[in-house]
Amino acid sequence: LRMYTYEEGSITIGGAELKDIDGIYLRENIGYVEQHVDLFDETIRENITIGLKNKNKGEMEELLEVVAKHARITEFYHRLGEAKFDTYIGERGVKLSGGERQRIGIARAIIKNPDILIFDEATASLDAENEAKVMEAINDVSVGKTTIIIAHRLSTVRDADKIIVMDRGTVVGEGTHDELMTSNSVYQNLVAHQMSN
């Protein structure tokens, strides 16, 4: 998010160092969904389209319908009544469930068609049913995109193309779930611990 500049290490996108890339350019080309999506006391429409510029009304409506389908917002249309996108959701989205708030966050992240998507503990505070719905949405919107999923919950990352295992800030393994299950004790312990809970 470029809230601060890192002092050590290197983060590159397309060969360019992150701290040398314009912050506005980054925010326009990276979709970010955090654990607690910040929603405003506005309509669903306003909360999804807040980062869009230069779109005419017809284009906006078409985009809203597409991202609503991908983010699984269409699955709770029945709760919105005729107002649909013009439903006011209350301060911090109080009128929505946790899973519904996350889906609004996903729609906001994908409506600008970014090259990179980052999901930072996007399912951590959800029950199993809502986690499954949000993961369906994440898998759907990730097609053809570079997607980074940060998670402690292994069910969230199990199907990733590459899993990077960290322990106390150090990378201790990388590979698919199956590869890590045969070669990485830290990952094996995480899986065993979560299976026993």
Side-chain angles (χ1 to χ4, degrees), residues 10-69:
S10 178
I11 302 170
T12 59
I13 299 176
E17 189 67 34
L18 181 68
K19 54 183 145 186
D20 296 333
I21 301 173
D22 178 66
I24 293 170
Y25 175 83
L26 279 175
R27 286 184 281 285
E28 288 175 353
N29 290 282
I30 296 177
Y32 177 69
V33 182
E34 57 203 318
Q35 182 174 353
H36 301 288
V37 174
D38 283 328
L39 296 177
F40 309 101
D41 189 5
E42 279 292 342
T43 64
I44 289 175
R45 175 189 316 282
E46 291 297 319
N47 273 282
I48 293 173
T49 62
I50 193 164
L52 280 187
K53 300 176 194 167
N54 307 324
K55 297 280 183 204
N56 67 44
K57 192 171 181 178
E59 240 183 326
M60 188 85 73
E61 285 305 309
E62 197 174 311
L63 274 174
L64 276 170
E65 290 295 339
V66 170
V67 300
K69 183 178 178 196

Side-chain angles (χ1 to χ4, degrees), residues 110 117 119 137-149:
I110 65 172
L117 290 167
F119 297 95
I138 289 172
N139 290 335
D140 190 20
V141 302
S142 294
V143 174
K145 308 266 183 208
T146 297
T147 305
I148 300 168
I149 300 173

Side-chain angles (χ1 to χ4, degrees), residues 94-113:
V94 70
K95 295 180 182 176
L96 302 174
S97 73
E100 291 166 349
R101 286 193 294 273
Q102 290 305 92
R103 289 184 250 178
I104 298 289
I106 291 169
R108 180 192 294 165
I110 65 172
I111 198 164
K112 56 190 176 179
N113 194 25

Side-chain angles (χ1 to χ4, degrees), residues 2-3 22 34 37 48-50 73 82 94 116 118 126 143 154 167 172-173 181 183 191:
R2 294 287 304 275
M3 302 298 268
D22 178 66
E34 57 203 318
V37 174
I48 293 173
T49 62
I50 193 164
I73 292 170
E82 289 183 26
V94 70
I116 299 170
I118 301 173
L126 303 179
V143 174
L154 296 173
D167 186 27
V172 294
M181 284 302 291
S183 66
V191 171

